[in-house]
Amino acid sequence: MTVVALMADPPRPGLVLSELAATSPLSEAEAADLYAAMLKDTMVAVSRSGGDLLVNYRSEELLPEAYRDEEGTAEAEVRTLAVDALDDPDEARFEVQVGSSFDARAGNTVMHLLRDEEVQSAAVVRGDAPFFTRAKLDTLSMQLRTNEVVLGPSTEGRAYVAGFTASIDFTDAFATPELETLTARANDADNDVAFLEMQSTVRTGADLLTLVPAVRARWQAERLVPGHTAEFVVETGLRVVDDDGEPTLVREE
C-alpha cells in the first residue's frame, strides 16, 4: 500500500501560491483559498484510494519569518483542512517536515518511510494538481509494483507526483525541470522509471487557463470534478474568454 506524503503549508496569504496572485486576477487571500481547496481535494483523493495519507506540514520555524504566527498555529491550520475535507479526519496522519529545503524535506520523508517504517512504496505530492484523482493514485500504486520510481508529468517540466519503492539522491532532485531532474536521479541509482498521464498543476496565472475551462466543462457535463476546487472557481467567477484571439482569464462580478 502506498503512503502518500502531502507536503503542505498553512494556507496563509502571501506564503502560498504567491506567483499565482501576482500573475492572475486573484488576490493573495484568494490564492491562499484556492491552495486550501486543492489540498482538500488531494486529501479526498487519497482517502478514496488504496493509499495512506500522511500530511507532512512545515512548522513555524521552517516558514519564512514574515509569515510565521507567534501562536504557532501551522499544524492546527492544516489539520482544519482535513476536518473540512474528510469524513473521518483520523484517517490522516500528521508529521512535521524536517529539512531546510523542499528537496531535503521530501527526501527525508521518503527515506524515513521506506527505510525506517519499511513501507512498500511512498509518494510525494504538493497538492497543486486538483485532477489527481483516486483513479490516478491507484494507477500510481500499480506501476510502483514493477518500477522503483513513478513520476507524473505536468506543464513546464514539473512533476505533480513522485512515487518511490527505492531511494534516490534527493539533493536538488526537484530542481527545474523537476521531471527531468528526478528521472536523472533515478537513472543514477539504476532505478526503473515509469510515467503517468500528463496532468496540469496550478502555480501561476497561466496555469488557470487550463484549470478553469476543465473545471467548468466537466461541471456542465455533470462529470467528476475536484469538488473544493470547482466550488472555488465557480464562486470566484473565474472564466476564460477570447480576447482578440487570445485565451484570457477574467472574473465575472
Side-chain angles (χ1 to χ4, degrees), residues 14-22 31-32 34-35 38 128 202-204:
L15 171 65
V16 297
L17 296 185
S18 57
E19 188 176 355
L20 176 64
L34 175 56
Y35 176 80
M38 293 191 295
D128 57 4
V202 182
R203 300 181 195 175
T204 69

Side-chain angles (χ1 to χ4, degrees), residues 112-188:
H112 169 71
L113 290 170
L114 295 178
R115 180 188 60 203
D116 301 330
E117 296 194 9
E118 298 182 341
V119 303
Q120 293 182 342
S121 57
V124 173
V125 295
R126 284 188 173 93
D128 57 4
F131 280 102
F132 185 39
T133 60
R134 168 186 175 177
K136 291 184 176 65
L137 275 166
D138 290 342
T139 300
L140 170 73
S141 296
M142 290 181 61
Q143 292 211 31
L144 283 170
R145 295 175 185 173
T146 53
N147 300 277
E148 288 89 356
V149 178
V150 177
L151 304 174
S154 185
T155 51
E156 299 188 8
R158 304 169 189 155
Y160 62 85
V161 63
F164 306 89
T165 60
S167 185
I168 62 172
D169 180 0
F170 282 96
T171 305
D172 297 326
F174 288 86
T176 303
E178 60 186 13
L179 182 69
E180 185 176 350
T181 308
L182 285 163
T183 301
R185 293 288 190 277
N187 287 339
D188 290 342

Side-chain angles (χ1 to χ4, degrees), residues 41 130-131 133 211 215 218-219 224-231:
D41 282 327
F131 280 102
T133 60
L211 174 71
V215 165
R218 295 184 69 87
W219 187 294
L224 180 68
V225 294
H228 297 283
T229 303
E231 184 178 358

